[in-house]
Amino acid sequence: MTDTRMEKLNKAAATLSAKLPKVPEIALVLGSGLSQAFGIPGEGMTIPWREIPGFPLPTVAGHAGEFWAGEVNGKQLLLQRGRTHYYEGYSIDDVVFATRLFALLGIKTLIVTNASGAVNRDFSAGDLVLITDHINMLGTNPLRGSNLDDLGPRFPDMSAAYSPRLRALAQEEAASAGITLKEGVYLATLGPSYESPAEIKAFRALGADLVGMSTVPEVIAARHAGIEVLGISCATNLAAGVDPKATLSHAEVIETTKRVGGTMRQLIMAIITRV
Ligand code: HPA
């Protein structure tokens, strides 16, 4: 019997692929602040999520909620502008709905970006960080429930979730562009409250360099479906307690993405050429 989740995904994928002029090769996910900073990379078409049946719609006013499709540096790119977070109240299946559409469209490469708090004391606000691995502290997993056999196996390997090949390529491109790209482990929390200083201390002891509220479900779903993943984070602020005098605000997060968005765009454009 076909899983109802699979029926819904197949219907959405059929609608989306009928709208696309060409089959995309690379998907690029930009978080809300980064969507604004990145802008639209060239000539192409916009597909609002509301035109895709079953697509979970954003709850936060001002979040883009659309795909953009077009050719960038000779590659067919599908840009996801905005994302759904688990803290918004979606089911975990909805959080990875777009990722699974990528798999059904035949996309082989996923570049995920996010904003994060710097847990590592050697990081500064505004650093670009290549994600080398993750720690899932969301308390759930997008693969929970019966396995979607059409997409991938029951127990997928996460040993090299963030592609060593793409990481090496990203570092090469960063070096030739004179961009410093640090490296670190991203820990996902539920949010939406920022962490307490005690939590950040605990996360550091666990091996986290960055903390955020997204990305990990998408990466798990992508790896389940055999998609190669590259993750780049913008450390927008020092995590709670790193600077004992500081407080955290969403305004600071948006401010830093605006400041660093152009550099991130430059780096991603260079990477896309080589993927
Ligand atoms: N914590 C969690 N998520 C975040 C942070 C943070 O400090 N900064 C940006 N996203």
Side-chain angles (χ1 to χ4, degrees):
M1 199 184 76
T2 316
D3 193 296
T4 52
R5 291 173 299 166
M6 214 54 234
E7 279 175 16
K8 196 171 148 186
L9 282 162
N10 281 328
K11 205 169 150 199
T15 305
L16 178 55
S17 69
K19 289 177 188 288
L20 296 174
K22 293 210 174 131
V23 180
E25 304 168 86
I26 305 170
L28 168 61
V29 177
L30 297 173
S32 46
L34 290 163
S35 285
Q36 298 301 323
F38 200 89
I40 297 288
E43 268 195 33
M45 68 180 297
T46 296
I47 303 130
W49 291 346
R50 66 182 136 71
E51 291 179 8
I52 304 168
F55 203 100
L57 298 178
T59 59
V60 184
H63 281 216
E66 63 191 23
F67 290 121
W68 175 91
E71 190 177 301
V72 174
N73 294 350
K75 297 281 160 55
Q76 293 301 321
L77 182 70
L78 184 65
L79 191 63
Q80 181 188 324
R81 303 185 75 232
R83 55 149 65 90
T84 46
H85 300 87
Y86 194 49
Y87 66 72
E88 291 176 78
Y90 297 102
S91 69
I92 196 69
D93 279 296
D94 277 349
V95 172
V96 297
F97 195 84
T99 319
R100 287 176 167 157
L101 285 187
F102 300 155
L104 293 175
L105 290 176
I107 290 173
K108 299 281 183 280
T109 309
L110 171 66
I111 304 175
V112 271
T113 66
N114 61 41
S116 62
V119 176
N120 186 322
R121 292 186 183 280
D122 294 333
F123 291 178
S124 310
D127 279 354
L128 291 181
V129 185
L130 188 61
I131 304 175
T132 55
D133 203 348
H134 70 223
I135 299 173
N136 180 10
M137 295 285 272
L138 288 171
T140 190
N141 189 299
L143 309 184
R144 181 175 181 270
S146 59
N147 184 48
L148 297 177
D149 294 329
D150 292 352
L151 293 178
R154 172 75 292 187
F155 300 110
D157 179 37
M158 291 290 143
S159 304
Y162 300 82
S163 165
R165 182 185 81 86
L166 294 178
R167 274 158 49 196
L169 197 150
Q171 283 295 12
E172 277 171 34
E173 288 305 317
S176 61
I179 297 168
T180 304
L181 186 57
K182 296 190 174 171
E183 299 199 349
V185 172
Y186 176 92
L187 183 146
T189 54
L190 175 55
S193 55
Y194 289 118
E195 302 69 37
S196 67
E199 285 166 342
I200 293 301
K201 201 171 155 191
F203 293 163
R204 189 179 300 116
L206 287 177
D209 299 296
L210 301 166
V211 64
M213 305 171 192
S214 68
T215 304
V216 168
E218 292 136 283
V219 172
I220 293 173
R223 295 304 302 141
H224 175 240
I227 297 174
E228 196 175 11
V229 174
L230 180 73
I232 300 174
S233 185
C234 172
T236 52
N237 56 281
L238 300 181
V242 174
D243 173 358
K245 296 184 294 297
T247 55
L248 272 62
S249 72
H250 185 57
E252 183 188 3
V253 172
I254 298 300
E255 175 60 35
T256 311
T257 55
K258 274 196 193 137
R259 179 160 63 81
V260 189
T263 311
M264 192 181 233
R265 178 187 163 118
Q266 187 195 347
L267 177 62
I268 289 172
M269 292 298 222
I271 292 168
I272 284 173
T273 318
R274 301 251 332 260
V275 165

